[in-house]
Amino acid sequence: MSAIPVADDVLGTDVAVITLEEAANRLGVSVNKVRQTVRDGHLIALRRSGTLCVPEEFIAEDALVKGLAGTLTVLADAGFEPTEMLTWLFTSDESLPGRTPINALRSNQGTEVKRRAQASAL
């Protein structure tokens, strides 16, 4: 079994995170399933105060935010590392609906976010 990739905590302390256990409860899956989702590159984990966490904004009710996994795949294909992906997702962009890519994804602007992720590869 491979190790879980862990991004540096480049997020501000104002960005809420939840433990993998909390994420599993919210998603209605096992903690092992959440770990596998991180290994598969469909979710990014970071370590805050010694605990593996994920940004709370990555979860919408009982599922991952629509378009998150696809966006992470596009960014990975563009050569982004997990820490760079976190930075990209949470960096403000005045021209983007929602102002940050993660907020745009949360407001069903996935097509625009993926287009910008693809453009980042160029």
Side-chain angles (χ1 to χ4, degrees), residues 51-105:
T51 302
L52 275 180
C53 304
V54 296
E56 187 172 25
E57 291 183 63
F58 285 177
I59 298 175
E61 298 191 25
D62 61 353
L64 293 181
V65 168
K66 183 180 176 185
L68 176 64
T71 300
L72 294 177
T73 298
V74 169
L75 291 171
D77 290 348
F80 281 60
E81 296 295 326
T83 300
E84 295 167 316
M85 292 178 199
L86 271 182
T87 300
W88 188 86
L89 284 164
F90 285 89
T91 297
S92 183
D93 180 343
E94 298 295 323
S95 69
L96 187 63
R99 295 198 122 136
T100 64
I102 188 59
N103 287 340
L105 283 173

Side-chain angles (χ1 to χ4, degrees), residues 13-74:
T13 56
D14 59 322
V15 176
V17 296
I18 58 175
T19 65
L20 298 188
E21 292 78 13
E22 291 170 315
N25 287 336
R26 297 247 320 254
L27 296 170
V29 299
S30 70
V31 175
N32 286 338
K33 176 66 175 168
V34 173
R35 286 186 183 112
Q36 188 60 49
T37 303
V38 173
R39 279 189 209 98
D40 291 344
H42 299 157
L43 187 60
I44 300 172
L46 58 102
R47 194 172 301 279
R48 185 172 281 179
S49 300
T51 302
L52 275 180
C53 304
V54 296
E56 187 172 25
E57 291 183 63
F58 285 177
I59 298 175
E61 298 191 25
D62 61 353
L64 293 181
V65 168
K66 183 180 176 185
L68 176 64
T71 300
L72 294 177
T73 298
V74 169

